[in-house]
Amino acid sequence: MSLSLSNKAKAVKPSSTLAITAKAKELKASGIDVVGFGAGEPDFNTPKNVCDAAIEAINTGFTKYTPASGTNELKAAISKKFKEFNDLDYAPNQIVISNGGKHGLTNVFDAIINPGDEVIIPAPFWLSYPEMVKLSDGVPVIVYTSKENGYKLTASELEAAVTDKTKAVVLNSPNNPTGMIYTKSELEALAKVIVEKDIFCVADEMYENLIYGDEKHVSIASLGKEIYDHTITCSGLSKAYAMTGWRMGYTGSSVEIAKLMSAMQSHATSNPNSIAQYAAVEALNGPQDAVEAMRVEFDKRRIYMYDRVSKLPGVSVIKPEGAFYVFMDMTEVLEKSYKGEKLETAANLAKALLEDYAVAVIPCADFGFPKHIRLSYAISMESIAKGLDRIEQFLGELK
């Protein structure tokens, strides 16, 4: 028998966002003044009260195993948050705490997918969704949305994509990479199709705290008992509390699904980090001033970035309503040439910007839109201004 390796593992694409961010950090470490627009994490420190709670956990010996699906204290805090923020009733036994939002989503797909089941993923999408579905032996079905609809899936598009093999649809609001938010009426229309077709809704609400202007976050599972029964609500503490490295994700689902996820997690990773769980209780139950302060600062950056980007020649963009990304249509720009060669792809554009202008942006082929790029405003205003100056200079060089 030859020592062959897993075909499934070999088929997985590495994360292009992490690769570009790593390259930018490498250049920065070598002394180059790189502006990195790739960041998928807040540039703020974790709030002090949360850090103090973690220190307390260490000092008091809260460093042992916990139940595989998380501590009762944290589940109670999440249950309270679901009720007060999302208008959702998830009892502690319906909640599974995982090692970050990615792990939570992986648990969900593993729990609901059988080989060959289809999962509808609206594009543009967070690049990990299709890979997660494939790793769970499912088939990602990409439905391309339009700029005219704010890059959001419509009820008619969902209905047309459902087959007898469809198991679930993924809804991400606020969305990565577009920053767009599904309204209550849009969610109601989608919920009607989901219930009628009897499929699951995997609702990724990781950016739920980062909403701007008059927009409101609506959890699709809050729209009635039937859609609640069809939905697994996914979130975490990474974005709102600047806790990306702490790896704290969680899900709310039926008791049956929660039991399946808990059982799988008990064999895959055992419990999430005990210290991070202790700190997460403080994050959710403690003062929320830091969360609001970060949101306000992100909003200032959002307005500044959008105003500048919307004036760039050849660039088309819609104003983001949440998260911390701007999604830029570069179709017209890619028709131009740089150093005598036609750009053609967002990947070529990103390469030129990084190598010649020390600016890291995310080309969005792996998000389903190969002629778009994503910029994050989870960096300082000074860095945003400097990076946009360089992008503007680059665009001026094109022929």
Side-chain angles (χ1 to χ4, degrees), residues 79-92:
S79 180
K80 179 171 176 282
K81 173 263 172 187
F82 268 133
K83 181 63 178 175
E84 295 178 354
F85 184 85
N86 305 88
D87 194 25
L88 289 171
D89 288 311
Y90 286 121

Side-chain angles (χ1 to χ4, degrees), residues 62-299:
F62 194 76
T63 56
K64 311 295 184 184
Y65 291 131
T66 76
S69 59
T71 65
N72 292 334
E73 291 79 10
L74 182 51
K75 287 184 179 183
I78 292 169
S79 180
K80 179 171 176 282
K81 173 263 172 187
F82 268 133
K83 181 63 178 175
E84 295 178 354
F85 184 85
N86 305 88
D87 194 25
L88 289 171
D89 288 311
Y90 286 121
N93 66 344
Q94 294 176 268
I95 292 167
V96 175
I97 300 150
S98 54
N99 297 284
K102 278 187 177 179
H103 186 207
L105 286 161
T106 299
N107 283 341
V108 170
F109 293 129
D110 281 348
I112 67 174
I113 291 175
N114 287 309
D117 284 349
E118 295 176 350
V119 176
I120 295 169
I121 302 172
F125 47 76
W126 179 45
L127 78 174
S128 290
Y129 294 142
E131 304 307 312
M132 289 174 171
V133 169
K134 288 187 283 187
L135 282 171
S136 297
D137 294 321
V139 179
V141 174
I142 309 303
V143 177
Y144 292 91
T145 63
S146 69
K147 187 188 303 179
E148 292 70 29
N149 287 329
Y151 299 108
K152 292 183 281 188
L153 181 70
T154 66
S156 59
E157 288 169 339
L158 173 59
E159 188 166 18
V162 174
T163 72
D164 57 1
K165 293 182 179 179
T166 304
K167 178 58 67 75
V169 59
V170 177
L171 288 181
N172 177 210
S173 180
N175 180 268
N176 173 12
T178 69
M180 301 307 288
I181 298 167
Y182 283 89
T183 65
K184 184 178 181 182
S185 61
E186 289 167 341
L187 291 173
E188 286 172 338
L190 290 166
K192 187 172 184 290
V193 177
I194 290 165
V195 171
E196 286 177 353
K197 297 296 185 179
D198 198 23
I199 62 176
F200 286 112
C201 175
V202 180
D204 183 357
E205 303 182 358
M206 180 61 78
Y207 294 92
E208 61 191 352
N209 294 89
L210 299 177
I211 308 283
Y212 311 111
D214 296 326
E215 303 299 328
K216 302 293 181 187
H217 176 73
V218 178
S219 292
I220 191 169
S222 70
L223 299 178
K225 184 181 186 310
E226 288 185 308
I227 186 61
Y228 171 90
D229 291 339
H230 283 78
T231 302
I232 303 108
T233 305
C234 311
S235 193
L237 283 77
S238 294
K239 314 300 182 180
Y241 295 90
M243 293 178 69
T244 50
W246 299 68
R247 310 314 300 139
M248 281 282 99
Y250 58 85
T251 56
S253 66
S254 68
V255 173
E256 182 182 16
I257 292 174
K259 283 181 178 178
L260 293 177
M261 291 193 291
S262 178
M264 290 185 297
Q265 186 163 293
S266 72
H267 293 292
T269 64
S270 192
N271 63 275
N273 182 289
S274 62
I275 300 159
Q277 287 188 75
Y278 193 97
V281 174
E282 172 60 24
L284 292 169
N285 288 344
Q288 302 298 301
D289 311 49
V291 176
E292 177 60 10
M294 285 188 276
R295 190 196 67 80
V296 168
E297 181 59 30
F298 282 138
D299 194 18

